[in-house]
């Protein structure tokens, strides 16, 4: 049934149907919009890649370690009040 896949006449039929559905005036506008969207997507992907490359190249300094013998949280002197 689909031995040869898409042949040139298949693409011609699809092109004619698209032109009939959308009209010849709307197609250039749609192509411009698609091109603009692709450029935006490409620039955003490039920015994300550059951002991740910068994040990986920045060395992370170790955080200060608490070595005191005191507990970091003060212990309460009175027990908390309970609601009845």
């Amino acid at each position: 049934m689909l031995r040869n896949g898409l042949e040139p006449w298949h693409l011609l039929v699809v092109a004619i149907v698209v032109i009939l559905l959308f009209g010849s005036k709307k197609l250039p506008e749609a192509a411009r919009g698609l091109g603009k969207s692709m450029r935006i997507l490409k620039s955003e992907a490039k920015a994300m890649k550059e951002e991740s490359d910068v994040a990986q190249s920045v060395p992370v300094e170790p955080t200060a370690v608490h070595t005191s013998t005191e507990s970091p949280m003060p212990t309460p002197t009175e027990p908390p009040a309970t609601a009845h």
Side-chain angles (χ1 to χ4, degrees):
M1 186 171 182
L2 288 174
R3 296 179 310 200
N4 298 332
L6 287 177
E7 294 183 11
W9 68 273
H10 289 128
L11 297 176
L12 181 65
V13 170
V14 170
I16 291 171
V17 169
V18 168
I19 290 172
L20 288 175
L21 284 176
F22 296 107
S24 61
K25 291 185 179 182
K26 293 282 184 179
L27 288 177
E29 293 173 17
R32 272 189 226 101
L34 182 63
K36 189 180 288 186
S37 298
M38 291 299 293
R39 282 192 297 273
I40 291 171
L41 178 66
K42 188 176 178 180
S43 67
E44 291 295 324
K46 183 179 177 182
M48 287 178 62
K49 184 175 188 253
E50 288 174 356
E51 185 177 293
S52 69
D53 289 345
V54 168
Q56 289 177 356
S57 66
V58 173
V60 178
E61 294 184 18
T63 58
V65 178
H66 184 71
T67 57
S68 169
T69 56
E70 296 178 14
S71 95
M73 298 285 292
T75 56
T77 55
E78 297 177 14
T82 57
H84 292 279

